Amino acid sequence: MTARTVGVGIGADQLDTTDMVLNIGPQHPSTHGVLRLRLVLDGERIVSAEPIVGYMHRGAEKLFEVRDYRQIVMLANRHDWLSAFANELGVVLAVERMLGMEVPRRAVWARTLLAELNRVLNHLMFLGSYPLELGAITPIFHAFREREEIQAVMEEISGGRMHFMFNRVGGLKEDLPAGWTGRVRHTIDTVRTRLAGLDALVSGNEIFRARTRGVGVLTPAQVAAYGVSGPVARASGVDFDLRRDEPYLAYGELTDVLRVVTRQEGDCLARFECLLEQVHVSLDLADACCHRLDELPQGPVNLRLPKVLKAPEGHTYAWTENPLGLNGYYLVSRGEKTPWRLKLRSASYNNVQVLTELLPGCLIADMVAVLGSLFFVVGDIDK
């Protein structure tokens, strides 16, 4: 669907020029689903861009208010379907903080391990799909092969492939299967070895580098103005990661392993490189968690809860470093078995808004490169 607006040209022959209003999406292959971009074009160059969101909005924040504290885990699981375990984690941490609950050590380390495996699953999806959007089909087969390796161990422990539903208020659903950490370590070694091939295939490709270097440059000032976070922000030199700067779970004990990956260029290539290097860091963290779990004595991974779980009156804010960026839950309780209010701050919602700054001045051919490099999930925007 297009519209035309006519303005006076400034060419040598003073001909009138025409600006075209172009709607990309919803349901367009380049928009990751039901995202709509309203672009104003002057020839092949973008003059202005407006992301129009809300096509997938399902009112999750209102649904939270009529579910009890066990049921809201299922709702929170789904907004970013590539980061299901991390989504669950944020909401149970908020409820546990309200209850003043201390989770067993074994559950803390297992949660950290599963959160990092989930981060790798998320990043591998984008590492495969982003080159595909630029015309390279082979990398997605490599990325999905590695995803299947990790999916296998995640499915073994939880029974799920996308929506794991393994977190519970007070810990985890059940203990780890016998020998599972050994199988995870083997999977980590396999994936780590194969990543070099994916790196060489994509990062070493001169066409990919030409399409992404110097394109869609995001400045630290724009990161701060729009609340951009995660690998997208760190690719612009913003050195911030909650796992290091405000540790939760077992990250405070993993400072010798945890590296915050940053770049200074802020372009599409830097964002891709950040994501790829972050996979290596997450695999190292997961490996360290496996060794720590093997050293811990056997014990419970959850706490016994009352039949009707009620949080005391008050409010709290719990945020986590989700794969796509900062994910926060603002929980308000009036002492009932359901939240009075539960506000979700998702990473993708903020990250995609910066398209209004990044796209103007770009060629229409670069639009897909810029859009894909923001690594968002539409459900995480709309909630």
Side-chain angles (χ1 to χ4, degrees):
M1 180 179 179
T2 60
R4 292 178 181 272
T5 57
V6 179
V8 178
I10 56 172
D13 50 3
Q14 295 296 309
L15 293 176
D16 285 351
T17 60
T18 303
D19 286 344
M20 175 181 287
V21 179
L22 179 66
N23 284 287
I24 305 293
Q27 296 294 3
H28 188 280
S30 72
T31 61
H32 295 239
V34 281
L35 171 69
R36 177 180 163 206
L37 288 177
R38 184 179 182 274
L39 307 178
V40 176
L41 306 178
D42 181 7
E44 288 291 313
R45 199 164 295 277
I46 299 171
V47 176
S48 66
E50 178 189 4
I52 300 171
V53 303
Y55 290 92
M56 286 190 70
H57 181 64
R58 60 194 175 92
E61 292 173 335
K62 294 304 290 182
L63 293 174
F64 287 146
E65 297 173 13
V66 292
R67 266 66 173 183
D68 67 34
Y69 288 106
R70 292 180 175 90
Q71 294 169 329
I72 59 175
V73 177
M74 180 274 295
L75 285 172
N77 179 288
R78 284 161 163 72
H79 57 90
D80 173 4
W81 46 80
L82 296 177
S83 310
F85 187 87
N87 299 340
E88 301 168 15
L89 188 59
V91 71
V92 297
L93 288 175
V95 178
E96 287 163 4
R97 185 175 296 176
M98 287 287 287
L99 293 166
M101 187 179 289
E102 188 171 343
V103 175
R105 292 287 296 160
R106 191 167 175 79
V108 171
W109 279 96
R111 280 177 171 179
T112 310
L113 166 59
L114 291 165
E116 290 307 314
L117 291 177
N118 192 195
R119 193 181 308 274
V120 174
L121 283 174
N122 176 289
H123 290 357
L124 282 172
M125 172 63 79
F126 290 107
L127 291 172
S129 64
Y130 183 49
L132 180 66
E133 292 164 5
L134 299 181
I137 192 171
T138 308
I140 200 165
F141 297 119
H142 287 258
F144 265 77
R145 179 183 62 181
E146 314 319 327
R147 272 178 58 86
E148 283 302 314
E149 296 280 354
I150 298 174
Q151 287 280 24
V153 293
M154 294 291 278
E155 188 174 3
E156 179 186 354
I157 192 173
S158 68
R161 286 180 58 83
M162 285 188 69
H163 303 296
F164 304 108
M165 282 304 298
F166 200 61
N167 275 294
R168 296 291 186 273
V169 176
L172 296 171
K173 176 186 173 186
E174 56 198 12
D175 202 356
L176 313 179
W180 182 76
T181 54
R183 291 188 287 279
V184 172
R185 284 202 300 272
H186 174 72
T187 298
I188 289 169
D189 290 341
T190 302
V191 173
R192 188 187 280 129
T193 303
R194 292 173 177 171
L195 276 177
L198 179 63
D199 188 2
L201 186 66
V202 182
S203 301
N205 186 292
E206 61 183 29
I207 298 174
F208 178 81
R209 298 182 75 85
R211 290 288 308 274
T212 55
R213 186 192 285 120
V215 175
V217 176
L218 177 64
T219 67
Q222 290 168 337
V223 168
Y226 284 84
V228 176
S229 58
V232 176
R234 291 192 286 272
S236 297
V238 179
D239 188 5
F240 180 73
D241 190 316
L242 278 180
R243 296 172 297 170
R244 179 200 63 192
D245 300 323
E246 195 174 310
Y248 57 99
L249 295 181
Y251 291 115
E253 301 176 50
L254 290 166
T255 52
D256 57 331
V257 183
L258 175 61
R259 289 185 297 108
V260 177
V261 180
T262 60
R263 293 289 187 277
Q264 300 302 317
E265 296 84 359
D267 57 9
C268 295
L269 181 60
R271 291 191 278 274
F272 182 85
E273 289 176 344
C274 262
L275 211 66
L276 181 60
E277 191 175 343
Q278 179 61 63
V279 173
H280 289 280
V281 175
S282 293
L283 290 173
D284 292 342
L285 288 168
D287 200 16
C289 289
C290 284
H291 286 288
R292 181 63 174 142
L293 281 166
D294 288 341
E295 296 169 358
L296 287 175
Q298 291 297 318
V301 293
N302 49 42
L303 300 175
R304 185 178 293 275
L305 301 177
K307 247 180 195 178
V308 178
L309 182 64
K310 294 184 179 181
E313 189 168 347
H315 61 91
T316 191
Y317 183 73
W319 57 346
T320 57
E321 187 68 44
N322 262 37
L324 298 179
L326 298 180
N327 192 72
Y329 290 95
Y330 179 58
L331 171 62
V332 183
S333 170
R334 295 232 171 137
E336 301 297 330
K337 66 178 182 179
T338 61
W340 184 75
R341 187 76 174 91
L342 185 53
K343 167 66 179 172
L344 168 61
R345 188 268 189 216
S346 63
S348 296
Y349 181 81
N350 288 69
N351 289 5
V352 80
Q353 303 305 321
V354 82
L355 285 168
T356 58
E357 300 278 353
L358 291 187
L359 289 179
C362 290
L363 294 172
I364 190 69
D366 291 329
M367 183 269 296
V368 177
V370 175
L371 182 67
S373 73
L374 293 182
F375 310 127
F376 60 88
V377 170
V378 178
D380 198 44
I381 298 171
D382 291 344
K383 306 187 285 294

